[in-house]
């Protein structure tokens, strides 16, 4: 009796009700998917899919390093450099916008809202669109990728930095102001020490995102590993596609682990 009271048996009626819901949902999904037209698949879709899978599971290991020209390691290094430089540019340029948009340091609602509007405006343009614009300005290559990532990341990093500034404790600032400190001294000794850990953490997080974006920018000619990837796809060299994707997965995984470890120690 005590055991049954402590662990009540679930009624069979509730189980049947739960299974009835699952069956109804399954039938709804079957009915919804049955109306999807499958006429868009080509006759060679099965053969191409099989070739892609075989290429992914039998990568071209010889492409990892080629002494005479472009290879996987050089492409990954180029992608990593684009992500690092793009993140550094955005982290440096977004600081004034962050202080501009922070409502606890800016004077007036109009000034603060204008700063937030500028950050939102920059975020509306995807990296690919900015990369296409910069390719027309500076030509194809890694430089266009760095500019695209750097400018696009200003919007997101600036927003995160502004939120970090808004969450600071204003007590040290008021204490320095009471002693006669000027605005520069209050900023340097009261605000900066509080926001630096958050700034570094957000920058590392944005670097992880930029590393993935840099892998894609090469598809449109903005440098990085994306360029040989799109060439391999167009030529249907699936074994080379497989080794490139494997290299991207390994690089992104290692960078994520390192970045996460650093952010845990900082914050």
């Amino acid at each position: 009796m005590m055991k049954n009271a402590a662990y009540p048996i679930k009624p069979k009626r509730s189980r049947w009700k739960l299974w009835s819901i699952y069956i109804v949902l399954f039938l709804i999904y079957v009915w919804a998917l049955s109306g999807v037209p499958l006429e868009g698949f080509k006759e060679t879709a099965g053969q191409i899919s099989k070739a892609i899978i075989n290429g992914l599971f039998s990568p071209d290991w010889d492409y990892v390093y080629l002494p005479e020209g472009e290879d996987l390691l050089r492409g990954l290094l180029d992608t990593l450099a684009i992500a690092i430089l793009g993140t550094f540019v955005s982290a440096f340029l977004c600081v004034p916008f962050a202080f501009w948009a922070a409502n606890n340091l800016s004077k007036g609602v109009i000034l603060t809202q204008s700063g937030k509007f500028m950050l939102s405006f920059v975020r509306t343009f995807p990296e690919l669109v900015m990369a296409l614009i910069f390719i027309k300005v500076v030509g194809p290559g890694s430089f266009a990728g760095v500019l695209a990532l750097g400018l696009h990341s200003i919007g997101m990093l600036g927003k995160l930095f502004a939120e970090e500034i808004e969450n600071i404790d204003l007590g040290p600032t008021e204490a320095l102001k009471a002693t006669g400190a000027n605005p520069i001294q209050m900023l340097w000794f009261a605000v900066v020490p509080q926001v630096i850990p958050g700034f570094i953490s957000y920058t590392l997080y944005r670097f992880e995102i930029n590393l993935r974006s840099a892998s894609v920018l090469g598809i449109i000619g903005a440098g990085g590993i994306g360029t040989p990837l799109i060439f391999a796809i167009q030529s249907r060299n699936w074994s080379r596609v497989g080794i490139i994707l494997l290299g991207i997965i390994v690089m992104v995984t290692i960078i994520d682990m390192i970045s996460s470890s650093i952010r845990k120690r900082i914050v």
Side-chain angles (χ1 to χ4, degrees):
M1 295 295 293
M2 293 295 294
K3 185 176 180 181
N4 292 336
Y7 302 97
I9 300 175
K10 191 174 182 180
K12 293 184 177 181
R13 184 177 181 182
S14 299
R15 295 181 181 179
W16 279 108
K17 184 178 180 181
L18 184 62
W19 277 105
S20 300
I21 295 174
Y22 289 154
I23 293 173
V24 171
L25 289 176
F26 175 76
L27 294 176
I28 291 175
Y29 275 107
V30 171
W31 172 76
L33 294 176
S34 63
V36 177
L38 302 177
E39 300 175 355
F41 292 97
K42 297 182 179 179
E43 297 179 356
T44 58
Q47 299 177 356
I48 295 177
S49 300
K50 184 178 179 180
I52 294 174
I53 295 174
N54 291 335
L56 293 176
F57 285 96
S58 58
D60 182 11
W61 295 105
D62 294 334
Y63 185 69
V64 174
Y65 177 73
L66 298 174
E68 66 277 3
E70 297 181 354
D71 53 24
L72 178 64
L73 294 179
R74 291 185 178 91
L76 294 177
L77 184 61
D78 191 17
T79 302
L80 183 62
I82 292 173
I84 293 175
L85 290 176
T87 305
F88 177 80
V89 170
S90 61
F92 180 76
L93 294 180
C94 76
V95 173
F97 291 94
F99 282 96
W100 179 11
N103 54 23
N104 59 339
L105 296 181
S106 298
K107 295 181 179 180
V109 178
I110 297 177
L111 185 62
T112 301
Q113 293 300 323
S114 62
K116 294 183 181 297
F117 171 77
M118 287 298 299
L119 293 175
S120 299
F121 178 76
V122 174
R123 292 201 307 273
T124 57
F125 297 95
E127 298 99 329
L128 292 176
V129 175
M130 289 188 174
L132 290 172
I133 295 174
F134 283 116
I135 286 175
K136 297 299 182 180
V137 176
V138 301
S142 302
F143 188 41
V146 171
L147 294 177
L149 286 180
L151 186 58
H152 174 77
S153 300
I154 289 176
M156 181 55 67
L157 269 183
K159 179 179 181 296
L160 296 175
F161 283 11
E163 293 178 353
E164 183 70 19
I165 296 172
E166 291 173 352
N167 293 328
I168 65 172
D169 182 12
L170 295 178
T173 305
E174 296 174 354
L176 287 175
K177 185 178 181 180
T179 61
N182 58 45
I184 300 298
Q185 291 173 332
M186 290 188 294
L187 180 66
W188 184 256
F189 293 104
V191 177
V192 172
Q194 297 186 64
V195 299
I196 282 297
F199 281 11
I200 296 176
S201 177
Y202 287 134
T203 302
L204 290 173
Y205 176 70
R206 186 64 205 183
F207 170 65
E208 297 174 11
I209 299 175
N210 285 344
L211 184 62
R212 296 174 176 83
S213 300
S215 302
V216 180
L217 292 180
I219 295 178
I220 59 175
I225 195 64
T227 302
L229 176 61
I230 191 63
F231 287 159
I233 293 176
Q234 291 175 348
S235 61
R236 298 187 178 183
N237 190 349
W238 304 119
S239 59
R240 180 159 296 184
V241 172
I243 191 62
I244 292 175
L245 293 178
L246 182 62
I248 294 174
I249 292 172
V250 172
M251 179 182 65
V252 170
T253 302
I254 294 175
I255 295 299
D256 285 353
M257 293 174 60
I258 296 174
S259 177
S260 299
S261 177
I262 295 175
R263 284 192 283 114
K264 288 179 180 178
R265 296 188 179 186
I266 292 175
V267 180

